[in-house]
Amino acid sequence: MDTFLTFALTGVVLFSLGLQEVLARPGVLRMLIAVNVMGSGTLLFFVSLAHRHADGPDPVPHALALTGIVVTLAATAAGLALARGLHRLRAEGSGGRVEGGRVEGGRSQGAGYERGRSESGRDEQGRADR
Amino acid sequence: MVLDGLSLLAVTAGVLFFVSGTLGILRFPDVFSRLHALTKADGLGLGLIVLGLALQATSLAVIGKLALVWIVAALSGSTACYLMAHFELERAQEPHDRA
Amino acid sequence: MIGLEVVFDVSVAVLLVVLALESLYTPNLFTSIAFFIAFGLVMALAWVRLQAPDLALAEAAVGAGLTGVLLLDAAREIAAVRGVERTPRSMVRLTSLLVAAGVGVALVAALLEVPPRAAGLAEAVREALPLTAVEHGVTSVLLDFRALDTFFETAVLLLAVITVLVLQAHQHVRIIPWELSASPVLSGLVGLLAPVVLVFSGYLLWAGTHAPGGAFQAGVLLGAGGILLELAGVHTVSRLPRRALRWLLSLGVAGFALLSGTLLLAGRGLLELPGAGARTIVIALEIAIAVSVALTVVSLVVGSNLRLEPPEQEP
């Protein structure tokens, strides 16, 4: 097991895990996390191929992966902005009130940050189908 | 040789502190005691590891970089700890509107 | 006898898989994002093991920091009102498992066919390196051999930031609570760190010509510093005039477009750098790319009209 094989296999595993989650159609945010995991797997596979050279790695995959990391960030940000826009449209459609960009739903608003954190998974799933 | 021994001692002690800090996160009951365990133990652990590595350094520039790593990590770690504790305090004082 | 390096590699690999599993399958979204941030940090470690310090630098800022901030912020808005979880039907889950397992097996089979030792393009790059304007392999690929790729990558970044700015045009983004943004501890830290970040990103930009570093790493680091400033209530990017922000965001693309246009008019190839002055051109391009990457990163996270001071009607 040299470094190349270890990380190439890890890349394959990460790609498959992410792919499974994307195909299972989770919520938008989870899908973006899964796509990021897939992307990390791809880059890991690619850069581990560059590591097969005996004296010093091949710089071409490094350069491509470098821009890949930055482009993944940009794509994630664009995806999240789209998800937020969609979310606001849905909230408007279902009678929620949009105020200064923050959506007021049926529930009272406390500190939103803390709410997102402390919500249990069961709670999230229970309200999913409305 | 003496230097190697000192390095080994410092790094081992540092790792032990890291482990105890992690144990604190896993075992302590509330946010404040967990934060306490984590930041205190990890701060010391990182300091010891930096010390152990600095003893092995070949040039002054490397020691400077290690010191910079330690300073920045210590500053940002304690600030993050303060922010989390502050936030937790706000949350604890807020009336609970949910079951 | 198993070497220590193998033990370390395998631990990093196992840690990556475990963190990915936790991040993907834990029911609580906040926990999932926290695991994803840890995953990014360990990825940086994996890049170091693969002798890719350029990638480790970028990943530490992007994967561990910026993506986490973006996800947390979006999760707070989206998950606050409606749960984002959807329990998939068992048929969907089974199909996805089968497809993913099939793809995984096929990839492993392909991997076993790959020769364990190959030079790739390493030799070609090393031989041609004296012909380029820089001494670092990765930078020479980015700004000389494959400059066309980098041109279009900066264009992709510009498109993404335009998307985000258009969609968030009327949005009021708030990443951390008011009372924290005014905290003396946070602004004290930011006051200490901001000059360090500025100097270090300048160093990375300069180092890129002959050592790991360069425009993209310097840009994301500078952008992360800009976000830290915004969070502490020091408005830099969000107070820029809109026209200036637009110009600076497109500086990278504009630089490439100007260069290739000039070279074409001079009767050379599209991005065929002239022998004399090539180094100056490459460094100027790097500065342009770093500036627009930094501003792109800040804009992606804080949106177009971030206001961290409390609105008047806030109770």
Side-chain angles (χ1 to χ4, degrees):
Chain A
M1 277 300 259
D2 60 353
T3 307
F4 150 64
L5 211 57
T6 312
F7 286 110
L9 275 177
T10 313
V12 171
V13 172
L14 292 180
F15 184 85
S16 309
L17 285 176
L19 181 66
Q20 191 275 327
E21 181 67 6
V22 170
L23 290 176
R25 298 170 62 191
V28 189
L29 288 184
R30 281 185 181 273
M31 204 179 270
L32 281 169
I33 294 179
V35 169
N36 265 284
V37 171
M38 280 174 80
S40 295
T42 314
L43 295 183
L44 201 58
F45 187 85
F46 198 34
V47 174
S48 68
L49 287 183
H51 195 261
R52 292 175 301 159
H53 188 41
D55 40 321
D58 180 0
V60 177
H62 288 198
L64 299 184
L66 179 59
T67 45
I69 289 176
V70 181
V71 167
T72 307
L73 172 73
T76 308
L80 287 173
L82 284 169
R84 288 174 153 199
L86 187 68
H87 171 73
R88 248 169 281 140
L89 278 179
R90 278 199 189 139
E92 270 178 279
S94 64
R97 185 158 63 86
V98 178
E99 203 170 75
R102 286 187 66 188
V103 180
E104 306 279 330
R107 290 156 53 121
S108 65
Q109 287 277 328
Y113 189 91
E114 162 245 334
R115 186 183 304 279
R117 170 173 72 162
S118 60
E119 224 143 37
S120 76
R122 194 179 305 140
D123 195 21
E124 284 173 19
Q125 286 180 351
R127 284 179 293 116
D129 295 329
R130 280 188 211 163
Chain B
M1 195 58 207
V2 180
L3 230 52
D4 284 357
L6 281 177
S7 270
L8 203 64
L9 202 69
V11 171
T12 314
V15 169
L16 281 179
F17 273 107
F18 264 106
V19 170
S20 59
T22 312
L23 267 181
I25 280 206
L26 294 174
R27 302 298 299 175
F28 280 167
D30 64 86
V31 173
F32 298 112
S33 45
R34 283 180 189 174
L35 277 176
H36 180 81
L38 184 72
T39 46
K40 290 284 190 312
D42 281 9
L44 196 54
L46 181 67
L48 283 168
I49 289 179
V50 165
L51 183 70
L53 294 181
L55 290 176
Q56 296 289 318
T58 47
S59 72
L60 216 58
V62 174
I63 298 180
K65 283 177 197 167
L66 282 169
L68 196 63
V69 166
W70 178 67
I71 292 171
V72 170
L75 281 176
S76 56
S78 40
T79 307
C81 169
Y82 162 80
L83 291 179
M84 273 189 263
H86 187 99
F87 194 79
E88 179 63 19
L89 203 62
E90 298 269 313
R91 200 174 73 106
Q93 283 167 355
E94 184 178 284
H96 289 272
D97 62 339
R98 58 183 180 278
Chain C
M1 178 66 196
I2 298 173
L4 215 57
E5 298 213 331
V6 177
V7 176
F8 191 72
D9 282 349
V10 172
S11 332
V12 170
V14 169
L15 202 53
L16 273 178
V17 172
V18 169
L19 287 173
L21 275 172
E22 288 286 349
S23 172
L24 290 173
Y25 298 114
T26 192
N28 183 333
L29 190 62
F30 178 83
T31 320
S32 171
I33 296 172
F35 273 116
F36 184 73
I37 294 172
F39 175 80
L41 277 174
V42 182
M43 274 301 287
L45 214 54
W47 295 135
V48 173
R49 288 301 302 152
L50 285 166
Q51 294 177 297
D54 292 279
L55 296 177
L57 283 168
E59 184 80 47
V62 172
L66 299 169
T67 313
V69 175
L70 277 171
L71 284 170
L72 281 177
D73 195 36
R76 202 197 51 209
E77 182 185 347
I78 295 180
V81 176
R82 191 180 355 199
V84 290
E85 296 311 299
R86 223 178 282 273
T87 0
R89 282 174 295 151
S90 51
M91 265 310 285
V92 175
R93 173 152 285 174
L94 187 68
T95 320
S96 66
L97 264 175
L98 285 177
V99 172
V103 170
V105 168
L107 283 173
V108 171
L111 183 62
L112 294 178
E113 297 285 309
V114 168
R117 286 270 160 258
L121 292 167
E123 290 305 326
V125 171
R126 185 172 307 168
E127 274 164 28
L129 201 56
L131 301 176
T132 68
V134 292
E135 296 88 48
H136 181 48
V138 175
T139 309
S140 73
V141 173
L142 277 175
L143 286 157
D144 208 326
F145 301 130
R146 303 296 306 162
L148 191 64
D149 285 348
T150 313
F151 183 5
F152 288 119
E153 250 126 23
T154 54
V156 169
L157 291 184
L158 185 61
L159 277 178
V161 78
I162 290 172
T163 310
V164 170
L165 292 185
V166 166
L167 283 167
Q168 297 193 333
H170 304 293
Q171 199 185 358
H172 180 165
V173 189
R174 188 171 80 178
I175 295 177
I176 57 172
W178 314 127
E179 62 273 18
L180 288 191
S181 65
S183 145
V185 178
L186 183 60
S187 32
L189 174 79
V190 171
L192 282 176
L193 279 188
V196 178
V197 169
L198 197 61
V199 169
F200 194 63
S201 52
Y203 166 75
L204 276 180
L205 188 60
W206 167 77
T209 52
H210 54 85
F216 284 94
Q217 296 94 322
V220 288
L221 183 66
L222 195 58
I227 291 165
L228 211 57
L229 281 176
E230 298 283 345
L231 288 181
V234 185
H235 301 286
T236 49
V237 176
S238 55
R239 287 283 160 81
L240 274 179
R242 293 302 294 268
R243 189 182 295 270
L245 181 65
R246 283 176 199 151
W247 274 107
L248 290 173
L249 282 174
S250 36
L251 202 60
V253 181
F256 268 116
L258 191 69
L259 176 66
S260 42
T262 317
L263 287 175
L264 280 181
L265 283 180
R268 303 184 75 95
L270 182 63
L271 279 164
E272 187 193 342
L273 297 178
R279 196 178 174 90
T280 318
I281 292 177
V282 164
I283 290 175
L285 266 183
E286 289 232 74
I287 293 173
I289 296 171
V291 167
S292 51
V293 166
L295 285 167
T296 300
V297 162
V298 179
S299 309
L300 289 177
V301 173
V302 301
S304 57
N305 56 347
L306 176 98
R307 293 178 303 171
L308 276 169
E309 68 275 26
E312 295 88 73
Q313 71 269 28
E314 190 87 354

